[in-house]
Amino acid sequence: MTITDPTPNSFRNQPDERGHFGQFGGRYVAETLMPLVLDLEREYRAAQQDPAFAAQFDDLLEHYVGRPSPLYYAERLTEEVRKNAPAGKGAQIWFKRDELNHTGAHKINNCIGQILLAIRMGKTRIIAETGAGQHGVATATVCARFGLPCFIYMGAKDIERQQPNVFRMRLLGAEVIPVTSGAGTLKDAMNEGLRDWVANVHDTFYIIGTAAGPHPYPELVRDFQSVIGKEARAQMLSRINRLPDLLVAAIGGGSNAIGLFHPFLDDKEVAMLGIEAAGHGLEKEHAASLAGGRPGVLHGNKTYLLQDDDGQIAEAHSISAGLDYPGIGPEHSWLKEIGRVRYDSVTDTEALAAFQLLCRTEGIIPALEPAHAIAAVEREAKKMNRDQIILANLCGRGDKDIFTVAEALGTSI
Amino acid sequence: MTRISAAFSKSHPALVAFITAGDGDTTANLDALVAGGADVIELGMPFTDPMADGPAIQEANIRSLNAGTKTTDIFALATAFRKRHPDTPLVLMGYANPMTIRGGDWFASECNKAGVDGVICVDIPPEEDPELGPALRNAGIDLIRLATPTTDATRLPTVLNGASGFLYYVSVAGITGLQVAAQTSIDEAVARLKVHTDLPIAVGFGVRTPEQAANIARVADGVVVGSAIVELVAEHGTSAAGPVRDYVASLKQVIVAARKV
Ligand SMILES: Cc1ncc(COP(=O)(O)O)c(C=O)c1O
């Protein structure tokens, strides 16, 4: 691992009081929103000190979401990978099974936390952006659960490729608002979410779906998602009395990844790998902002972005709607720069192969997002010894993706 | 005296007019704004993701970018404008990323060379001032800050700290071009702001009719009009200069007549 000097005492005490992770993060919002993000920060600090808030969060995660999610040793996948690995190679593959959560992905962890904050703040109207629709479904779910009106901004292209989730959101009582500006994907939905918020400052709470946006969102989303890593760390210790050698997670905005990584950041022996979507390939259209972008300012934070020399934001591409975003949460930009986490990418084609591999070896249909992580796991496991352990975040199930996968495989259903 | 303070020292409130750079015939439209009587010109820098703008300016941004507008083109437009119009203040308005991508110092120095008088950056609040503020101040460019209906009295000093040129009061909590603020709320807001600052106060967002402009001109030091002009450019394409000039002149006439007592 290459950690540039000076190595911080802890990797777990970011951001600073201005919401900066090194040079990244911050609060780059219009003045109209600035008092709102300051309010949110104040309320979040109060909630952090309030045992009743933590108790309600934990209770809902246990009895409504179904936590803790299992930690699972994927024996047949491990065997399958070993068949193609050099002698003695082929690490053990374990999964944190957040696809078993209510609503089918990790997104609900964050939504529970944010809806409780919204209620604390007396907000009566909820908005959110969504790409794959998982965050939209999770937001619509908590809104139904707490009886709040819900408006979901979703790119027109994503509406098309994630029909089951659009219908789910409507069943849950949410209004899904199509966004046609730009390429009609997650970035454009986020622009519309911010426009709605600026026009409805008094009653509206914006539930951002990933560990990005203006401070304190990257921090609070990370904290709510850290339940993944906290559970996984305790489960590993109690099951096999050791920590994994490598953590792997897919990255759209980076919330499932930071949720898994953060509790392990100060465990020096644990390496970490974040996987961006390489789409058609890094030299073509992709969504790998760390690999193909550079630092800039978008959607309230400074972070790595796909952009041109003038700072115009590029359109991302990934077969996975949840990864199809030209930015990344600011903490990942920082973790990359200081070298604590390694980042790599996986193409559409590789993700599709991994998707099918998991279906056949383990009887688990993954979402296309974690399918990217699984492709990387396969790659990494072959380089590692058999007594080593990889833990990957299986952050979503694939029900929502079967139409996309069928089309990619040339089948009609 | 800077060009901006001179524009706000006239015997009438200032008309501040906005167009998007690279949308239509920008050179002709800039001249039309001056001919119609604009006292300050805001030239919008197009951005792919104009989060604070409504449909009219969003579409202008897209038209401009689709026409291939680059940041260097915008500085070329400004440089040429300054040669043709030595006295009319020119303010660049836009978003953080295009302004800071080559570093704040680069941007401030280009503004200086092009004869740009001030900069309004929508998404750099005072909390992120180091990103651009020091560079602009070093280069002698006014950093024009925004106050909004959500900026309360406790926050206002933070907004004013480091602001210069004028204070832009965004009269509605919302995006550009859609809603119109109630005149009484504008009157109250301007009175409230005046207690805290000697900077001229220009009021904008949603202003389109001469009547609205006149009402604002009775209480404020300036009236900002944007989307309504941008819509004329959308409607008339490369031959928008005439309609833009006439529309601006109609606003100017009532603003001059509305000189507060
Ligand atoms: C299952 C799943 N995984 C991952 C993501 C990507 O988001 P993040 O990087 O914030 O985890 C999404 C987003 O929609 C998702 O639905």
Side-chain angles (χ1 to χ4, degrees), chain A residues 104-107 130-135 165 186 209-211 221 225 250-257 320-323 332 367-370 395-397 400-401:
Chain A
H106 67 291
K107 296 286 179 185
T130 196
Q134 286 305 111
H135 175 59
N165 273 343
L186 185 52
T210 192
V221 174
Q225 290 294 4
I251 296 187
S255 70
N256 87 82
S320 143
L323 306 183
H332 288 291
L368 279 169
E369 292 81 13
C395 60
R397 55 180 180 245
K400 69 183 175 63
D401 290 317

PDB file of all heavy atoms in Angstrom, chain A residues 104-107 130-135 165 186 209-211 221 225 250-257 320-323 332 367-370 395-397 400-401, ligand 1:
ATOM      1  N   GLY A 104     -34.296  -4.518  -0.943  1.00  0.00           N
ATOM      2  CA  GLY A 104     -33.345  -5.143  -1.859  1.00  0.00           C
ATOM      3  C   GLY A 104     -31.999  -4.493  -2.068  1.00  0.00           C
ATOM      4  O   GLY A 104     -31.289  -4.870  -2.993  1.00  0.00           O
ATOM      5  N   ALA A 105     -31.643  -3.520  -1.270  1.00  0.00           N
ATOM      6  CA  ALA A 105     -30.315  -2.919  -1.404  1.00  0.00           C
ATOM      7  C   ALA A 105     -29.939  -2.217  -0.104  1.00  0.00           C
ATOM      8  O   ALA A 105     -30.750  -2.099   0.821  1.00  0.00           O
ATOM      9  CB  ALA A 105     -30.276  -1.937  -2.568  1.00  0.00           C
ATOM     10  N   HIS A 106     -28.696  -1.747  -0.085  1.00  0.00           N
ATOM     11  CA  HIS A 106     -28.205  -1.023   1.096  1.00  0.00           C
ATOM     12  C   HIS A 106     -28.855   0.338   1.245  1.00  0.00           C
ATOM     13  O   HIS A 106     -28.788   0.940   2.305  1.00  0.00           O
ATOM     14  CB  HIS A 106     -26.693  -0.849   0.983  1.00  0.00           C
ATOM     15  CG  HIS A 106     -26.286   0.066  -0.134  1.00  0.00           C
ATOM     16  ND1 HIS A 106     -26.439  -0.282  -1.462  1.00  0.00           N
ATOM     17  CD2 HIS A 106     -25.789   1.327  -0.134  1.00  0.00           C
ATOM     18  CE1 HIS A 106     -26.027   0.715  -2.217  1.00  0.00           C
ATOM     19  NE2 HIS A 106     -25.630   1.707  -1.459  1.00  0.00           N
ATOM     20  N   LYS A 107     -29.467   0.849   0.186  1.00  0.00           N
ATOM     21  CA  LYS A 107     -29.957   2.227   0.178  1.00  0.00           C
ATOM     22  C   LYS A 107     -30.885   2.533   1.358  1.00  0.00           C
ATOM     23  O   LYS A 107     -30.920   3.645   1.861  1.00  0.00           O
ATOM     24  CB  LYS A 107     -30.685   2.515  -1.144  1.00  0.00           C
ATOM     25  CG  LYS A 107     -29.787   2.430  -2.377  1.00  0.00           C
ATOM     26  CD  LYS A 107     -28.854   3.608  -2.500  1.00  0.00           C
ATOM     27  CE  LYS A 107     -27.954   3.503  -3.717  1.00  0.00           C
ATOM     28  NZ  LYS A 107     -26.953   4.601  -3.781  1.00  0.00           N
ATOM     29  N   THR A 130     -32.939   9.555  -8.043  1.00  0.00           N
ATOM     30  CA  THR A 130     -32.575   8.144  -8.096  1.00  0.00           C
ATOM     31  C   THR A 130     -32.031   7.798  -9.470  1.00  0.00           C
ATOM     32  O   THR A 130     -32.382   8.419 -10.464  1.00  0.00           O
ATOM     33  CB  THR A 130     -33.765   7.243  -7.717  1.00  0.00           C
ATOM     34  OG1 THR A 130     -33.293   5.925  -7.427  1.00  0.00           O
ATOM     35  CG2 THR A 130     -34.802   7.161  -8.832  1.00  0.00           C
ATOM     36  N   GLY A 131     -31.135   6.808  -9.492  1.00  0.00           N
ATOM     37  CA  GLY A 131     -30.563   6.345 -10.754  1.00  0.00           C
ATOM     38  C   GLY A 131     -31.156   4.988 -11.083  1.00  0.00           C
ATOM     39  O   GLY A 131     -32.051   4.853 -11.917  1.00  0.00           O
ATOM     40  N   ALA A 132     -30.687   3.961 -10.368  1.00  0.00           N
ATOM     41  CA  ALA A 132     -31.207   2.614 -10.572  1.00  0.00           C
ATOM     42  C   ALA A 132     -32.637   2.494 -10.067  1.00  0.00           C
ATOM     43  O   ALA A 132     -33.353   1.551 -10.386  1.00  0.00           O
ATOM     44  CB  ALA A 132     -30.321   1.607  -9.846  1.00  0.00           C
ATOM     45  N   GLY A 133     -33.038   3.449  -9.249  1.00  0.00           N
ATOM     46  CA  GLY A 133     -34.367   3.359  -8.660  1.00  0.00           C
ATOM     47  C   GLY A 133     -34.338   2.746  -7.278  1.00  0.00           C
ATOM     48  O   GLY A 133     -35.339   2.770  -6.563  1.00  0.00           O
ATOM     49  N   GLN A 134     -33.187   2.197  -6.870  1.00  0.00           N
ATOM     50  CA  GLN A 134     -33.123   1.574  -5.538  1.00  0.00           C
ATOM     51  C   GLN A 134     -33.250   2.619  -4.442  1.00  0.00           C
ATOM     52  O   GLN A 134     -33.931   2.407  -3.447  1.00  0.00           O
ATOM     53  CB  GLN A 134     -31.809   0.800  -5.368  1.00  0.00           C
ATOM     54  CG  GLN A 134     -31.772  -0.501  -6.133  1.00  0.00           C
ATOM     55  CD  GLN A 134     -32.930  -1.408  -5.809  1.00  0.00           C
ATOM     56  OE1 GLN A 134     -33.799  -1.637  -6.640  1.00  0.00           O
ATOM     57  NE2 GLN A 134     -32.976  -1.921  -4.597  1.00  0.00           N
ATOM     58  N   HIS A 135     -32.565   3.750  -4.636  1.00  0.00           N
ATOM     59  CA  HIS A 135     -32.691   4.808  -3.636  1.00  0.00           C
ATOM     60  C   HIS A 135     -34.098   5.403  -3.672  1.00  0.00           C
ATOM     61  O   HIS A 135     -34.668   5.726  -2.635  1.00  0.00           O
ATOM     62  CB  HIS A 135     -31.636   5.889  -3.851  1.00  0.00           C
ATOM     63  CG  HIS A 135     -31.806   7.056  -2.924  1.00  0.00           C
ATOM     64  ND1 HIS A 135     -31.763   6.904  -1.553  1.00  0.00           N
ATOM     65  CD2 HIS A 135     -32.070   8.372  -3.163  1.00  0.00           C
ATOM     66  CE1 HIS A 135     -31.973   8.096  -0.993  1.00  0.00           C
ATOM     67  NE2 HIS A 135     -32.172   8.997  -1.932  1.00  0.00           N
ATOM     68  N   ASN A 165     -38.708  -0.801 -10.863  1.00  0.00           N
ATOM     69  CA  ASN A 165     -38.573   0.100  -9.720  1.00  0.00           C
ATOM     70  C   ASN A 165     -39.483   1.323  -9.829  1.00  0.00           C
ATOM     71  O   ASN A 165     -39.954   1.840  -8.815  1.00  0.00           O
ATOM     72  CB  ASN A 165     -37.116   0.542  -9.543  1.00  0.00           C
ATOM     73  CG  ASN A 165     -36.348  -0.457  -8.693  1.00  0.00           C
ATOM     74  OD1 ASN A 165     -36.953  -1.281  -8.007  1.00  0.00           O
ATOM     75  ND2 ASN A 165     -35.037  -0.379  -8.735  1.00  0.00           N
ATOM     76  N   LEU A 186     -28.719   9.926 -13.734  1.00  0.00           N
ATOM     77  CA  LEU A 186     -28.634  10.311 -12.329  1.00  0.00           C
ATOM     78  C   LEU A 186     -28.175  11.760 -12.105  1.00  0.00           C
ATOM     79  O   LEU A 186     -28.706  12.469 -11.248  1.00  0.00           O
ATOM     80  CB  LEU A 186     -27.692   9.322 -11.625  1.00  0.00           C
ATOM     81  CG  LEU A 186     -27.518   9.438 -10.122  1.00  0.00           C
ATOM     82  CD1 LEU A 186     -28.850   9.440  -9.403  1.00  0.00           C
ATOM     83  CD2 LEU A 186     -26.654   8.279  -9.614  1.00  0.00           C
ATOM     84  N   GLY A 209     -29.070  10.223  -1.955  1.00  0.00           N
ATOM     85  CA  GLY A 209     -28.959   8.767  -1.946  1.00  0.00           C
ATOM     86  C   GLY A 209     -27.558   8.199  -1.903  1.00  0.00           C
ATOM     87  O   GLY A 209     -27.381   6.989  -1.861  1.00  0.00           O
ATOM     88  N   THR A 210     -26.551   9.050  -1.922  1.00  0.00           N
ATOM     89  CA  THR A 210     -25.205   8.503  -1.857  1.00  0.00           C
ATOM     90  C   THR A 210     -24.342   9.425  -1.023  1.00  0.00           C
ATOM     91  O   THR A 210     -24.797  10.497  -0.598  1.00  0.00           O
ATOM     92  CB  THR A 210     -24.628   8.280  -3.263  1.00  0.00           C
ATOM     93  OG1 THR A 210     -23.434   7.501  -3.148  1.00  0.00           O
ATOM     94  CG2 THR A 210     -24.318   9.595  -3.969  1.00  0.00           C
ATOM     95  N   ALA A 211     -23.103   8.993  -0.775  1.00  0.00           N
ATOM     96  CA  ALA A 211     -22.235   9.744   0.137  1.00  0.00           C
ATOM     97  C   ALA A 211     -21.586  10.914  -0.592  1.00  0.00           C
ATOM     98  O   ALA A 211     -20.367  11.035  -0.658  1.00  0.00           O
ATOM     99  CB  ALA A 211     -21.191   8.808   0.744  1.00  0.00           C
ATOM    100  N   VAL A 221     -24.447  10.270   5.405  1.00  0.00           N
ATOM    101  CA  VAL A 221     -24.761   9.067   4.631  1.00  0.00           C
ATOM    102  C   VAL A 221     -23.755   7.966   4.980  1.00  0.00           C
ATOM    103  O   VAL A 221     -24.121   6.813   5.190  1.00  0.00           O
ATOM    104  CB  VAL A 221     -24.769   9.359   3.115  1.00  0.00           C
ATOM    105  CG1 VAL A 221     -24.955   8.073   2.312  1.00  0.00           C
ATOM    106  CG2 VAL A 221     -25.865  10.367   2.768  1.00  0.00           C
ATOM    107  N   GLN A 225     -24.628   4.397   6.634  1.00  0.00           N
ATOM    108  CA  GLN A 225     -24.252   3.167   5.911  1.00  0.00           C
ATOM    109  C   GLN A 225     -23.168   2.375   6.640  1.00  0.00           C
ATOM    110  O   GLN A 225     -22.955   1.200   6.319  1.00  0.00           O
ATOM    111  CB  GLN A 225     -23.771   3.503   4.483  1.00  0.00           C
ATOM    112  CG  GLN A 225     -24.870   3.989   3.542  1.00  0.00           C
ATOM    113  CD  GLN A 225     -25.927   2.936   3.218  1.00  0.00           C
ATOM    114  OE1 GLN A 225     -25.913   1.813   3.743  1.00  0.00           O
ATOM    115  NE2 GLN A 225     -26.862   3.304   2.349  1.00  0.00           N
ATOM    116  N   ALA A 250     -18.506  -1.948  -5.038  1.00  0.00           N
ATOM    117  CA  ALA A 250     -18.755  -1.152  -6.249  1.00  0.00           C
ATOM    118  C   ALA A 250     -19.034   0.295  -5.850  1.00  0.00           C
ATOM    119  O   ALA A 250     -19.540   0.560  -4.762  1.00  0.00           O
ATOM    120  CB  ALA A 250     -19.959  -1.712  -7.004  1.00  0.00           C
ATOM    121  N   ILE A 251     -18.730   1.204  -6.769  1.00  0.00           N
ATOM    122  CA  ILE A 251     -18.908   2.616  -6.468  1.00  0.00           C
ATOM    123  C   ILE A 251     -19.704   3.337  -7.542  1.00  0.00           C
ATOM    124  O   ILE A 251     -19.314   3.375  -8.709  1.00  0.00           O
ATOM    125  CB  ILE A 251     -17.537   3.309  -6.334  1.00  0.00           C
ATOM    126  CG1 ILE A 251     -16.804   2.704  -5.144  1.00  0.00           C
ATOM    127  CG2 ILE A 251     -17.709   4.818  -6.172  1.00  0.00           C
ATOM    128  CD1 ILE A 251     -15.529   3.390  -4.800  1.00  0.00           C
ATOM    129  N   GLY A 252     -20.858   3.860  -7.122  1.00  0.00           N
ATOM    130  CA  GLY A 252     -21.583   4.808  -7.958  1.00  0.00           C
ATOM    131  C   GLY A 252     -21.204   6.173  -7.409  1.00  0.00           C
ATOM    132  O   GLY A 252     -20.293   6.843  -7.889  1.00  0.00           O
ATOM    133  N   GLY A 253     -21.897   6.570  -6.340  1.00  0.00           N
ATOM    134  CA  GLY A 253     -21.465   7.742  -5.585  1.00  0.00           C
ATOM    135  C   GLY A 253     -20.563   7.320  -4.435  1.00  0.00           C
ATOM    136  O   GLY A 253     -19.828   8.119  -3.884  1.00  0.00           O
ATOM    137  N   GLY A 254     -20.663   6.056  -4.071  1.00  0.00           N
ATOM    138  CA  GLY A 254     -19.733   5.515  -3.083  1.00  0.00           C
ATOM    139  C   GLY A 254     -20.310   5.217  -1.719  1.00  0.00           C
ATOM    140  O   GLY A 254     -19.560   5.021  -0.769  1.00  0.00           O
ATOM    141  N   SER A 255     -21.656   5.121  -1.589  1.00  0.00           N
ATOM    142  CA  SER A 255     -22.196   4.963  -0.236  1.00  0.00           C
ATOM    143  C   SER A 255     -22.070   3.545   0.301  1.00  0.00           C
ATOM    144  O   SER A 255     -21.762   3.354   1.477  1.00  0.00           O
ATOM    145  CB  SER A 255     -23.645   5.446  -0.162  1.00  0.00           C
ATOM    146  OG  SER A 255     -24.524   4.600  -0.863  1.00  0.00           O
ATOM    147  N   ASN A 256     -22.290   2.537  -0.558  1.00  0.00           N
ATOM    148  CA  ASN A 256     -22.145   1.182  -0.004  1.00  0.00           C
ATOM    149  C   ASN A 256     -20.674   0.896   0.278  1.00  0.00           C
ATOM    150  O   ASN A 256     -20.339   0.222   1.246  1.00  0.00           O
ATOM    151  CB  ASN A 256     -22.808   0.142  -0.914  1.00  0.00           C
ATOM    152  CG  ASN A 256     -21.918  -0.389  -2.015  1.00  0.00           C
ATOM    153  OD1 ASN A 256     -21.111  -1.288  -1.796  1.00  0.00           O
ATOM    154  ND2 ASN A 256     -22.034   0.177  -3.220  1.00  0.00           N
ATOM    155  N   ALA A 257     -19.800   1.460  -0.564  1.00  0.00           N
ATOM    156  CA  ALA A 257     -18.369   1.228  -0.379  1.00  0.00           C
ATOM    157  C   ALA A 257     -17.873   1.893   0.906  1.00  0.00           C
ATOM    158  O   ALA A 257     -17.205   1.257   1.725  1.00  0.00           O
ATOM    159  CB  ALA A 257     -17.589   1.751  -1.593  1.00  0.00           C
ATOM    160  N   SER A 320     -25.051  -0.287 -15.639  1.00  0.00           N
ATOM    161  CA  SER A 320     -25.730  -0.211 -14.360  1.00  0.00           C
ATOM    162  C   SER A 320     -26.150   1.228 -14.088  1.00  0.00           C
ATOM    163  O   SER A 320     -25.306   2.115 -13.963  1.00  0.00           O
ATOM    164  CB  SER A 320     -24.774  -0.710 -13.267  1.00  0.00           C
ATOM    165  OG  SER A 320     -24.949   0.058 -12.105  1.00  0.00           O
ATOM    166  N   ALA A 321     -27.457   1.437 -14.012  1.00  0.00           N
ATOM    167  CA  ALA A 321     -27.966   2.792 -13.795  1.00  0.00           C
ATOM    168  C   ALA A 321     -27.459   3.369 -12.484  1.00  0.00           C
ATOM    169  O   ALA A 321     -27.252   4.573 -12.366  1.00  0.00           O
ATOM    170  CB  ALA A 321     -29.493   2.782 -13.814  1.00  0.00           C
ATOM    171  N   GLY A 322     -27.219   2.519 -11.497  1.00  0.00           N
ATOM    172  CA  GLY A 322     -26.776   2.996 -10.192  1.00  0.00           C
ATOM    173  C   GLY A 322     -25.330   3.463 -10.175  1.00  0.00           C
ATOM    174  O   GLY A 322     -24.894   4.110  -9.229  1.00  0.00           O
ATOM    175  N   LEU A 323     -24.580   3.114 -11.203  1.00  0.00           N
ATOM    176  CA  LEU A 323     -23.168   3.536 -11.260  1.00  0.00           C
ATOM    177  C   LEU A 323     -22.964   4.616 -12.308  1.00  0.00           C
ATOM    178  O   LEU A 323     -21.852   5.119 -12.488  1.00  0.00           O
ATOM    179  CB  LEU A 323     -22.260   2.338 -11.578  1.00  0.00           C
ATOM    180  CG  LEU A 323     -22.387   1.116 -10.663  1.00  0.00           C
ATOM    181  CD1 LEU A 323     -21.366   0.052 -11.057  1.00  0.00           C
ATOM    182  CD2 LEU A 323     -22.199   1.490  -9.194  1.00  0.00           C
ATOM    183  N   HIS A 332     -14.051   9.312  -0.964  1.00  0.00           N
ATOM    184  CA  HIS A 332     -13.290   8.391  -1.816  1.00  0.00           C
ATOM    185  C   HIS A 332     -12.169   9.127  -2.543  1.00  0.00           C
ATOM    186  O   HIS A 332     -11.074   8.584  -2.711  1.00  0.00           O
ATOM    187  CB  HIS A 332     -14.220   7.708  -2.820  1.00  0.00           C
ATOM    188  CG  HIS A 332     -15.119   6.686  -2.196  1.00  0.00           C
ATOM    189  ND1 HIS A 332     -14.650   5.491  -1.697  1.00  0.00           N
ATOM    190  CD2 HIS A 332     -16.456   6.686  -1.974  1.00  0.00           C
ATOM    191  CE1 HIS A 332     -15.666   4.789  -1.202  1.00  0.00           C
ATOM    192  NE2 HIS A 332     -16.775   5.499  -1.354  1.00  0.00           N
ATOM    193  N   ALA A 367     -27.570  -7.460  -8.064  1.00  0.00           N
ATOM    194  CA  ALA A 367     -27.804  -6.270  -8.885  1.00  0.00           C
ATOM    195  C   ALA A 367     -26.579  -6.055  -9.763  1.00  0.00           C
ATOM    196  O   ALA A 367     -25.495  -6.562  -9.493  1.00  0.00           O
ATOM    197  CB  ALA A 367     -28.031  -5.062  -7.986  1.00  0.00           C
ATOM    198  N   LEU A 368     -26.765  -5.286 -10.831  1.00  0.00           N
ATOM    199  CA  LEU A 368     -25.635  -5.032 -11.728  1.00  0.00           C
ATOM    200  C   LEU A 368     -24.532  -4.219 -11.041  1.00  0.00           C
ATOM    201  O   LEU A 368     -23.368  -4.305 -11.432  1.00  0.00           O
ATOM    202  CB  LEU A 368     -26.108  -4.302 -12.995  1.00  0.00           C
ATOM    203  CG  LEU A 368     -26.723  -5.214 -14.054  1.00  0.00           C
ATOM    204  CD1 LEU A 368     -27.394  -4.390 -15.150  1.00  0.00           C
ATOM    205  CD2 LEU A 368     -25.672  -6.153 -14.651  1.00  0.00           C
ATOM    206  N   GLU A 369     -24.901  -3.447 -10.033  1.00  0.00           N
ATOM    207  CA  GLU A 369     -23.878  -2.654  -9.344  1.00  0.00           C
ATOM    208  C   GLU A 369     -22.888  -3.571  -8.626  1.00  0.00           C
ATOM    209  O   GLU A 369     -21.696  -3.550  -8.940  1.00  0.00           O
ATOM    210  CB  GLU A 369     -24.542  -1.647  -8.382  1.00  0.00           C
ATOM    211  CG  GLU A 369     -25.326  -0.528  -9.093  1.00  0.00           C
ATOM    212  CD  GLU A 369     -26.722  -0.942  -9.537  1.00  0.00           C
ATOM    213  OE1 GLU A 369     -27.191  -2.013  -9.082  1.00  0.00           O
ATOM    214  OE2 GLU A 369     -27.352  -0.224 -10.338  1.00  0.00           O
ATOM    215  N   PRO A 370     -23.348  -4.407  -7.669  1.00  0.00           N
ATOM    216  CA  PRO A 370     -22.377  -5.314  -7.037  1.00  0.00           C
ATOM    217  C   PRO A 370     -21.795  -6.334  -8.008  1.00  0.00           C
ATOM    218  O   PRO A 370     -20.731  -6.907  -7.716  1.00  0.00           O
ATOM    219  CB  PRO A 370     -23.181  -5.985  -5.916  1.00  0.00           C
ATOM    220  CG  PRO A 370     -24.602  -5.806  -6.286  1.00  0.00           C
ATOM    221  CD  PRO A 370     -24.677  -4.507  -7.030  1.00  0.00           C
ATOM    222  N   CYS A 395     -24.391  -5.517  -2.314  1.00  0.00           N
ATOM    223  CA  CYS A 395     -25.210  -4.422  -1.799  1.00  0.00           C
ATOM    224  C   CYS A 395     -26.601  -4.353  -2.422  1.00  0.00           C
ATOM    225  O   CYS A 395     -27.405  -3.508  -2.034  1.00  0.00           O
ATOM    226  CB  CYS A 395     -24.479  -3.102  -1.991  1.00  0.00           C
ATOM    227  SG  CYS A 395     -24.122  -2.773  -3.727  1.00  0.00           S
ATOM    228  N   GLY A 396     -26.901  -5.230  -3.392  1.00  0.00           N
ATOM    229  CA  GLY A 396     -28.250  -5.165  -3.950  1.00  0.00           C
ATOM    230  C   GLY A 396     -28.584  -6.414  -4.729  1.00  0.00           C
ATOM    231  O   GLY A 396     -27.700  -7.102  -5.243  1.00  0.00           O
ATOM    232  N   ARG A 397     -29.884  -6.718  -4.798  1.00  0.00           N
ATOM    233  CA  ARG A 397     -30.295  -7.895  -5.562  1.00  0.00           C
ATOM    234  C   ARG A 397     -30.747  -7.477  -6.956  1.00  0.00           C
ATOM    235  O   ARG A 397     -31.086  -6.328  -7.196  1.00  0.00           O
ATOM    236  CB  ARG A 397     -31.349  -8.695  -4.830  1.00  0.00           C
ATOM    237  CG  ARG A 397     -32.581  -7.943  -4.425  1.00  0.00           C
ATOM    238  CD  ARG A 397     -33.527  -8.915  -3.687  1.00  0.00           C
ATOM    239  NE  ARG A 397     -34.748  -8.265  -3.253  1.00  0.00           N
ATOM    240  CZ  ARG A 397     -35.094  -8.105  -1.975  1.00  0.00           C
ATOM    241  NH1 ARG A 397     -34.293  -8.514  -1.009  1.00  0.00           N
ATOM    242  NH2 ARG A 397     -36.240  -7.531  -1.661  1.00  0.00           N
ATOM    243  N   LYS A 400     -34.436  -5.996 -10.191  1.00  0.00           N
ATOM    244  CA  LYS A 400     -34.667  -4.786 -10.971  1.00  0.00           C
ATOM    245  C   LYS A 400     -33.936  -4.824 -12.309  1.00  0.00           C
ATOM    246  O   LYS A 400     -34.267  -4.074 -13.225  1.00  0.00           O
ATOM    247  CB  LYS A 400     -34.198  -3.561 -10.185  1.00  0.00           C
ATOM    248  CG  LYS A 400     -32.671  -3.498 -10.038  1.00  0.00           C
ATOM    249  CD  LYS A 400     -32.188  -2.337  -9.198  1.00  0.00           C
ATOM    250  CE  LYS A 400     -30.684  -2.368  -8.963  1.00  0.00           C
ATOM    251  NZ  LYS A 400     -29.844  -2.239 -10.155  1.00  0.00           N
ATOM    252  N   ASP A 401     -32.906  -5.679 -12.415  1.00  0.00           N
ATOM    253  CA  ASP A 401     -32.030  -5.649 -13.586  1.00  0.00           C
ATOM    254  C   ASP A 401     -32.310  -6.736 -14.612  1.00  0.00           C
ATOM    255  O   ASP A 401     -31.648  -6.778 -15.646  1.00  0.00           O
ATOM    256  CB  ASP A 401     -30.564  -5.780 -13.139  1.00  0.00           C
ATOM    257  CG  ASP A 401     -30.089  -4.536 -12.409  1.00  0.00           C
ATOM    258  OD1 ASP A 401     -30.409  -3.429 -12.880  1.00  0.00           O
ATOM    259  OD2 ASP A 401     -29.414  -4.683 -11.374  1.00  0.00           O
TER     260      ASP A 401
HETATM  261  C1  LIG C   1     -27.604  -1.974  -5.504  1.00  0.00           C
HETATM  262  C2  LIG C   1     -26.842  -0.710  -5.680  1.00  0.00           C
HETATM  263  N1  LIG C   1     -25.537  -0.703  -5.452  1.00  0.00           N
HETATM  264  C3  LIG C   1     -24.788   0.394  -5.603  1.00  0.00           C
HETATM  265  C4  LIG C   1     -25.332   1.575  -6.031  1.00  0.00           C
HETATM  266  C5  LIG C   1     -24.418   2.747  -6.215  1.00  0.00           C
HETATM  267  O1  LIG C   1     -24.482   3.687  -5.204  1.00  0.00           O
HETATM  268  P1  LIG C   1     -23.390   3.780  -4.075  1.00  0.00           P
HETATM  269  O2  LIG C   1     -22.058   3.883  -4.736  1.00  0.00           O
HETATM  270  O3  LIG C   1     -23.758   5.035  -3.358  1.00  0.00           O
HETATM  271  O4  LIG C   1     -23.466   2.611  -3.200  1.00  0.00           O
HETATM  272  C6  LIG C   1     -26.703   1.638  -6.281  1.00  0.00           C
HETATM  273  C7  LIG C   1     -27.320   2.885  -6.714  1.00  0.00           C
HETATM  274  O5  LIG C   1     -28.418   2.982  -7.132  1.00  0.00           O
HETATM  275  C8  LIG C   1     -27.472   0.465  -6.101  1.00  0.00           C
HETATM  276  O6  LIG C   1     -28.793   0.446  -6.339  1.00  0.00           O
END
